[in-house]
Amino acid sequence: MKAKLLLLLTIITTQLFAQAPVIQWEKSYGGSANDVARCIIPTFDGGYAVAGNTSSDDSMVTGHHLGLDFWVIKIDAFGNLQWQKDLGGLYSDQAFSIVQTPDSGFVVSGTSESNDGEVSGNHAFGLGDYWLLKLNSAGVLQWQKCYGGTSFDNGYQAINTSDGGFAFIGAGGSLDGDMNNLYGGNDFWLVKTDDTGHIEFQKVFGGSTGDYGYSVVQANDGGYVMTGMTLSNDIDVNGNHGGDDYWVVKCNDTGMFVWQTCLGSTGGDNARWITKSNDGGFVVVGSAGENDGNVTGFNGVYDYWAVKLDSLGGVVWQKCYGGYNDDKAYSVTPTQDGGFAILGFEMSEDTNVTGNHGNNHDFWLVKIDANGNKQWEHAYGGQGDEDGYSVIQIADGSFVLAGNSNGANGDVSHGLGQGDFWVVKLTAAGSSVYNLNQTVTVDLFPNPVSSELTISSSQLTGATISISDISGRELLHDLSVLSSKTLNLKSLVSGIYFLRVESEDGSVTVKKFIKE
């Protein structure tokens, strides 16, 4: 089999309305100190895994070392805690992303300054290495790897790759150890590993000043597209507008430079997340700080700024979202209708923001269509600070949000300490209720499939069938009228796909299958 990649796809399954979704449930997790959730993913069993960092050593957190640790929690579909894992050493260790692996385990990525506890092989004890670790489905540590040199190397996001390995992006600052090149104070540093964390190749991209990589996706051709922030305007970087700019870089599947684009204004512009679009392009989100250069429609101190690029890095559209105050985006996810949902925080209290809880940070969720037009938005939070760092969509059409909360008021029902992981499950847009137990019984065979896939169910009559790939792109949409249906899938490349069936009564199931 050519591909072992597994990144659980989240799929929108309902029509979107102008009405923003409401909270179905919300829960806080942590201890008496400060705990921040950075990434949430859906899991094969219908629950969620959340990764971030903790300073606590009480309440829900056990096994703490000192300072900041990686903290990973597994919760069920209703937010009930199933297990937790504290990982790190005596120095600062911060997790920024998590993915699920084909064996139902998890790979967590971030930065470690430690060289004790669960951490070994750190090249810069007390400074920082990229840190990648593998947990099994119960949260037991299976392996861990440090990548870097003797200076500051800060790892952020790792993704599953189509060959079963991982691609890990961050900001490298060393010129020794695992790094063999450095242009400036920090550069984008891409590390490609196999499925056990061994380096297959590593590549530096940047200029003579500072370049910080935060997010990476695998392109349809197998290459990698990275984004983050640049202060440079030389070597690999061209077209900086002054100060911080979004920087987007494409390399091929062996790390060779393909193209780059600088996007921004004369203010501070910081890209935080990138995702693929259905047409092979990309959407980058973060914050813009001025109304010039590439930025138009600017509203305040900082705005959410979304930029749509084509497959060659050309700008298709750009849009600002926000109010008169400080609004910054950290995450974007594609939706089945071809649009996108963006999450971050807002501090604005004007007509651009609905549901604001005061002059502090709230989660702010913005839904846009394929052309960047805002369809709806809403703020979720309380009187403290709530920063949204990760948004996903699941098979019922709803959104699940994760970040941190401070206090217990407004939408936040419970507080445990100075700051907590806060996970918010919303209803589907335009809905007020949803029955999580409603499913369709569907059989797929053969699975794995080489050419023709047969779908069998007693509830297929009038059902809608769709197939999406791991990036969220819908590849097939069909209205079935029979109790069984055979689909020709010869044109699909090897990999993992998701088939969704929705019956006439609204019952839904999502099935995973493998194309050989």
Side-chain angles (χ1 to χ4, degrees):
M1 188 181 301
K2 296 180 180 177
K4 300 176 182 177
L5 171 64
L6 191 55
L7 174 60
L8 185 61
L9 166 70
T10 57
I11 308 171
I12 272 188
T13 61
T14 56
Q15 183 179 1
L16 290 173
F17 299 87
Q19 176 186 346
V22 299
I23 294 176
Q24 186 176 40
W25 56 257
E26 52 79 27
K27 297 213 174 178
S28 297
Y29 312 86
S32 60
N34 195 36
D35 313 303
V36 180
R38 295 287 185 172
C39 185
I40 188 168
I41 59 169
T43 54
F44 302 153
D45 62 1
Y48 310 94
V50 190
N53 52 269
T54 182
S55 298
S56 300
D57 193 17
D58 53 14
S59 190
M60 296 180 179
V61 185
T62 61
H64 192 70
H65 300 84
L66 188 68
L68 288 174
D69 277 356
F70 278 31
W71 196 42
V72 181
I73 65 171
K74 173 68 177 67
I75 58 178
D76 67 17
F78 301 94
N80 300 306
L81 183 67
Q82 296 175 300
W83 54 257
Q84 65 86 38
K85 190 71 175 182
D86 184 296
L87 302 137
L90 295 178
Y91 283 67
S92 177
D93 312 298
Q94 298 188 68
F96 292 98
S97 77
I98 184 170
V99 295
Q100 192 162 32
T101 51
D103 62 357
S104 296
F106 302 94
V107 162
V108 190
S109 63
T111 303
S112 175
E113 297 179 2
S114 303
N115 202 30
D116 52 11
E118 285 81 29
V119 189
S120 62
N122 195 307
H123 301 77
F125 184 41
L127 297 178
D129 263 10
Y130 285 25
W131 195 32
L132 192 72
L133 60 87
K134 170 70 165 59
L135 306 176
N136 70 11
S137 60
V140 176
L141 181 65
Q142 294 182 298
W143 56 257
Q144 63 84 41
K145 302 281 185 181
C146 286
Y147 313 98
T150 55
S151 189
F152 293 92
D153 305 303
N154 296 309
Y156 291 98
Q157 185 190 16
I159 60 169
N160 290 308
T161 56
S162 58
D163 61 0
F166 308 99
F168 196 176
I169 189 64
S174 299
L175 191 54
D176 54 12
D178 296 318
M179 290 187 67
N180 60 11
N181 193 19
L182 186 68
Y183 298 122
N186 290 95
D187 290 324
F188 280 30
W189 188 37
L190 179 69
V191 178
K192 172 66 177 70
T193 78
D194 64 16
D195 61 355
T196 59
H198 293 100
I199 294 177
E200 294 180 323
F201 71 81
Q202 57 82 32
K203 185 70 176 180
V204 170
F205 307 91
S208 61
T209 311
D211 315 295
Y212 302 85
Y214 295 122
S215 183
V216 59
V217 293
Q218 189 166 26
N220 294 342
D221 62 3
Y224 302 96
V225 181
M226 301 151 275
T227 197
M229 182 271 286
T230 184
L231 289 162
S232 301
N233 198 27
D234 55 10
I235 309 177
D236 291 329
V237 187
N238 181 47
N240 190 296
H241 297 80
D244 305 348
D245 261 12
Y246 282 24
W247 195 40
V248 186
V249 186
K250 169 77 183 295
C251 68
N252 68 10
D253 59 359
T254 62
M256 299 299 294
F257 181 92
V258 177
W259 54 254
Q260 68 87 45
T261 185
C262 269
L263 304 156
S265 67
T266 55
D269 313 300
N270 197 339
R272 286 291 184 169
W273 203 262
I274 186 169
T275 192
K276 292 196 291 187
S277 56
N278 291 340
D279 59 4
F282 309 93
V283 169
V284 184
V285 302
S287 55
E290 194 49 82
N291 197 49
D292 54 22
N294 300 119
V295 183
T296 60
F298 187 73
N299 299 284
V301 179
Y302 284 100
D303 275 358
Y304 281 26
W305 191 38
V307 183
K308 171 68 165 60
L309 303 177
D310 62 26
S311 62
L312 300 177
V315 176
V316 179
W317 54 256
Q318 63 81 37
K319 299 276 185 176
C320 285
Y321 316 96
Y324 69 87
N325 211 327
D326 192 359
D327 312 304
K328 294 180 179 179
Y330 288 102
S331 179
V332 61
T333 191
T335 57
Q336 191 184 23
D337 64 351
F340 304 89
I342 308 170
L343 181 69
F345 75 81
E346 57 77 24
M347 289 186 66
S348 297
E349 297 178 84
D350 55 31
T351 56
N352 291 320
V353 181
T354 303
N356 183 277
H357 292 80
N359 192 28
N360 289 300
H361 296 187
D362 277 352
F363 282 24
W364 192 38
L365 182 64
V366 178
K367 173 65 179 70
I368 62 175
D369 65 18
N371 296 314
N373 300 307
K374 185 169 70 176
Q375 296 175 298
W376 50 259
E377 53 75 32
H378 198 79
Y380 306 90
Q383 295 300 316
D385 281 328
E386 287 78 41
D387 296 312
Y389 289 110
S390 185
V391 55
I392 58 174
Q393 285 189 297
I394 59 175
D396 68 357
S398 65
F399 298 94
V400 184
L401 321 177
N404 69 288
S405 65
N406 181 278
N409 48 63
D411 295 325
V412 187
S413 63
H414 187 60
L416 298 161
Q418 298 172 24
D420 299 318
F421 280 28
W422 192 40
V423 177
V424 182
K425 169 68 167 63
L426 304 176
T427 60
S431 301
S432 58
V433 295
Y434 175 73
N435 180 5
L436 287 172
N437 297 317
Q438 216 175 24
T439 58
V440 183
T441 301
V442 175
D443 293 315
L444 304 180
F445 59 90
N447 189 7
V449 59
S450 59
S451 57
E452 292 187 339
L453 179 70
T454 298
I455 309 163
S456 178
S457 173
S458 61
Q459 297 169 281
L460 276 187
T461 301
T464 300
I465 298 171
S466 61
I467 291 177
S468 298
D469 66 12
I470 56 170
S471 71
R473 294 183 305 130
E474 185 177 277
L475 306 176
L476 178 147
H477 191 86
D478 185 68
L479 185 66
S480 177
V481 294
L482 303 172
S483 60
S484 66
K485 188 173 186 67
T486 299
L487 302 175
N488 188 329
L489 303 181
K490 289 181 179 179
S491 62
L492 295 185
V493 299
S494 298
I496 293 177
Y497 295 86
F498 295 85
L499 181 138
R500 177 189 172 276
V501 177
E502 181 176 359
S503 67
E504 288 184 309
D505 67 1
S507 299
V508 172
T509 195
V510 177
K511 303 281 283 189
K512 174 172 68 78
F513 69 90
I514 297 170
K515 172 64 166 61
E516 294 181 320

